Amino acid sequence: MKRGDIVAVATPGDFGKARPALVVQSDLFTEHPSVALLLMSSEIVNAPLIRIKVIPSEQNGLRAPSQIAVDKMFTVRREKIGSIIGHLEDEIMVSLNRAMLVFLGLA
């Protein structure tokens, strides 16, 4: 599992159903017991600065248009993560990186 992979995960709490999530943790931490993820949803909302739209492709493995929720970051233990669904395209990762910088106040 590496940064940019889309994985299946069931989260605790309000977002408890199984859904795709994007690995955003640096590949430098492959031995760390938990992984930082961003939730993804097929429920499209109008929030251009914090929701990144992703169209299904063979590379990303999604079945429906979805959004990466930059405002829904969480960590989960590695053993709680299911299979890798696909990998996010490079141009979308660039947009995501910019959105994360803005959301986290680093830009």
Side-chain angles (χ1 to χ4, degrees):
M1 182 174 14
K2 60 186 179 185
R3 190 170 197 276
D5 282 346
I6 298 171
V7 296
V9 66
T11 61
D14 293 341
F15 308 103
K17 68 178 184 176
R19 64 174 64 216
L22 178 69
V23 176
V24 292
Q25 182 168 299
S26 169
D27 292 340
L28 295 174
F29 300 97
T30 57
E31 299 301 317
H32 196 275
S34 61
V35 179
L37 304 167
L38 292 177
L39 280 181
M40 298 181 72
S41 176
S42 59
E43 183 178 322
I44 307 298
V45 297
N46 185 18
L49 293 178
I50 57 172
R51 300 292 167 100
I52 307 299
K53 190 169 184 178
V54 183
I55 303 299
S57 73
E58 190 172 311
Q59 180 176 328
N60 65 41
L62 296 172
R63 292 182 279 175
S66 301
Q67 285 180 320
I68 304 164
V70 176
D71 59 323
K72 303 281 190 252
M73 185 181 297
F74 66 104
T75 59
V76 67
R77 296 193 61 79
R78 286 185 183 274
E79 61 267 15
K80 299 288 186 181
I81 297 174
S83 61
I84 296 173
I85 297 168
H87 192 80
L88 197 63
E89 292 82 355
D90 290 342
E91 60 274 6
I92 301 174
M93 280 299 293
V94 169
S95 296
L96 174 77
N97 290 338
R98 290 179 181 147
M100 289 180 67
L101 287 171
V102 171
F103 184 73
L104 296 173
L106 301 173

